[in-house]
Amino acid sequence: MRVLICGAGRVGHGIARRLAREKHDITIIDENPDLVDQVSTDLDVRGFTGHAAHPDVLKKAGAADCEMIIAVTHFDEINMVICQIAHTLFSVPYKIARVRDQSYIEPAWKNIFSREGLPIDMVISPEVEVGEAILQRFRTPGAIMSATFGNGKIRLLGLEIDDSNPLLDTAVDQLRGLFPDLSARIVGIGRGESVRAPRSTDVLKPGDRAYVAVLDEHADRLTSIFNRDTERTDHVVIVGGGNVGLYVASALEREGRHRIRLIENDADRANDVVSKVKRTIVIQGDGLNPDILSEAGAAKADFVIAITNDDKANLLISNLAKRAGAKRTLSLVNATELAGLARDLRVDAVLDPRALTVSQILLRMRRGRILGLQSIEDGKAEVAEGVTLESSSLIGKSLGYDDLPEGVTAAAVIRGKEVLIAGPDVTVRAEDHLIIFYQGELVRKVEKYFRVSPDFF
């Protein structure tokens, strides 16, 4: 697919890197020549320097021939104008815009992004996506990642395996026999730098990262089996009062049971946050200052979330909080090369906002009836929810570990109101919602499972 990306910042760079890896034809535009040079050199994609909302720049970059335009500059209004020009002058079929200001996406103004208004096919709101991802961590505090499928019926959890895990050296297909009342299945194993779909005799080793599909109401029991803390997260400290910090604080306030402290260094922004929250205590100061962290109660906090605009500061803040006594910490980290430092700094979990944005874009690029998508470990694997059509090669197949091609593991089937954890006793039917884990290089093969076969006609 020919894709034009407007904006070569962190988000644009991350999107370009992932799409280029999948062999899409990528062109990127930015006013900053250094950013354009960096992306085009690192990724071997075409780069143009200029203002992406100017028609002549879009024309030179090939807008008339592209199939998708992704506008992720730092300014919402520019992203909207880019999509409008792409539609009006170049008839670009699919247009995506990043919109950060929540006022644009309030339900009352839902008609803004329509053919009659601004012709934008998909609006990306990173703050909402990141905020929701953080809130999911509250519901499963022992997990290194969490995502939902099937309208929340199935949860995918990433869990680290330590030396005391009761499932060490146990074949993955024995989980059901050991815990017959637990509706869960190990669908992926991360070991070192790789992530793969297990076969029936594969076992978990210390240091592994297990990706487990579980019925949502069984998630707490699963984390307790994996020796992960499932205590309540009543005392929360948020460091960073930007849009994400405000979103998370407001959502936790609505739940009604959390004591929330929010630290924001910028005085004007701190005052703005004060005017928008009800029960959150806002502290103006530097989250890297141990005295400020102490004032917020980080030493006794159940969860400390570092979500400033500085990756390095987030990791250091989490480390300081952990050393002071915080039970769990989470850092927002854009740079993948820094995420690897989390373990050394005793940070419990990191969240990459680019990965969330890329997952949403990839969902729109996948062929076939794919309803949901989650990228795993920077694209080394994916989990997708798709609808199996009558012509699918999966129809009639059982879903045991060794029944599907190597590199693919079924997680669950949603059939009407029924939710079935995959296994050798479950077979695929037409119109099933199948949730499936697969290694990154198998994207095209998995797409075919959810497409109409030419032989069907």
Side-chain angles (χ1 to χ4, degrees), residues 390-417:
E390 290 183 15
S391 62
S392 172
S393 61
L394 292 179
I395 299 299
K397 282 189 177 292
S398 57
L399 298 177
Y401 279 110
D402 302 324
D403 295 326
L404 296 180
E406 190 165 346
V408 179
T409 302
V413 169
I414 299 174
R415 187 174 293 153
K417 295 183 179 180

Side-chain angles (χ1 to χ4, degrees), residues 149 363-364 368-373 384-387 433:
F149 294 88
L363 175 60
R364 300 309 188 274
R369 293 179 65 185
I370 296 179
L371 309 177
L373 185 77
E385 176 185 350
V387 180
H433 285 213

Side-chain angles (χ1 to χ4, degrees), residues 19-269:
L19 297 186
R21 188 189 305 165
E22 294 193 4
K23 308 303 181 184
H24 293 285
D25 186 352
I26 307 299
T27 302
I28 196 160
I29 304 173
D30 199 282
E31 284 191 289
N32 187 328
D34 294 334
L35 289 178
V36 172
D37 288 343
Q38 181 181 354
V39 175
S40 57
T41 301
D42 291 349
L43 307 178
D44 193 25
V45 302
R46 286 188 300 276
F48 281 85
T49 301
H51 197 299
H54 292 173
D56 59 326
V57 174
L58 289 173
K59 182 179 180 179
K60 290 177 183 176
D65 298 318
C66 78
E67 299 164 81
M68 176 183 288
I69 192 164
I70 304 172
V72 286
T73 75
H74 294 296
F75 302 98
D76 294 349
E77 293 76 14
I78 291 177
N79 294 335
M80 296 177 196
V81 170
I82 290 169
C83 290
Q84 179 70 70
I85 292 173
H87 173 80
T88 304
L89 299 184
F90 302 108
S91 300
V92 177
Y94 202 87
K95 299 159 289 293
I96 298 174
R98 179 171 70 170
V99 178
R100 304 175 68 180
D101 194 316
Q102 298 303 293
S103 63
Y104 284 118
I105 57 177
E106 289 181 4
W109 320 122
K110 63 182 179 181
N111 291 330
I112 290 178
F113 306 111
S114 65
R115 291 288 171 178
E116 295 74 27
L118 290 168
I120 299 173
D121 300 287
M122 176 184 173
V123 174
I124 301 171
S125 180
E127 284 77 7
V128 172
E129 296 292 336
V130 173
E132 285 298 320
I134 291 171
L135 293 171
Q136 285 190 30
R137 300 295 176 90
F138 278 95
R139 301 174 188 121
T140 50
I144 58 173
M145 70 85 62
S146 176
T148 58
F149 294 88
N151 292 323
K153 296 182 179 71
I154 292 291
R155 187 172 293 276
L156 177 73
L157 298 179
L159 299 162
E160 290 187 326
I161 308 301
D162 58 27
D163 294 334
S164 60
N165 193 289
L167 296 178
L168 282 177
D169 297 318
T170 301
V172 293
D173 67 349
Q174 295 183 25
L175 179 63
R176 180 182 294 187
L178 292 172
F179 304 98
D181 297 327
L182 177 69
S183 295
R185 192 175 205 226
I186 298 169
V187 296
I189 298 175
R191 182 172 295 162
E193 298 298 318
S194 67
V195 183
R196 60 190 178 84
R199 308 306 274 180
S200 60
T201 56
D202 284 339
V203 299
L204 296 175
K205 298 291 185 180
D208 282 354
R209 303 171 300 281
Y211 292 95
V212 189
V214 60
L215 202 63
D216 188 57
E217 53 263 38
H218 291 187
D220 284 348
R221 186 179 174 213
L222 175 71
T223 53
S224 66
I225 289 171
F226 275 71
N227 289 336
R228 293 303 177 200
D229 183 13
T230 57
E231 294 180 5
R232 291 164 61 94
T233 50
D234 294 331
H235 184 182
V236 182
V237 175
I238 301 169
V239 185
N243 291 333
V244 176
L246 179 59
Y247 183 93
V248 172
S250 300
L252 294 178
E253 283 186 341
R254 290 192 292 271
E255 293 184 8
R257 64 179 179 84
H258 303 286
R259 291 182 291 116
I260 309 162
R261 306 290 185 271
L262 189 150
I263 300 171
E264 169 55 44
N265 196 30
D266 184 86
D268 292 336
R269 180 60 186 173

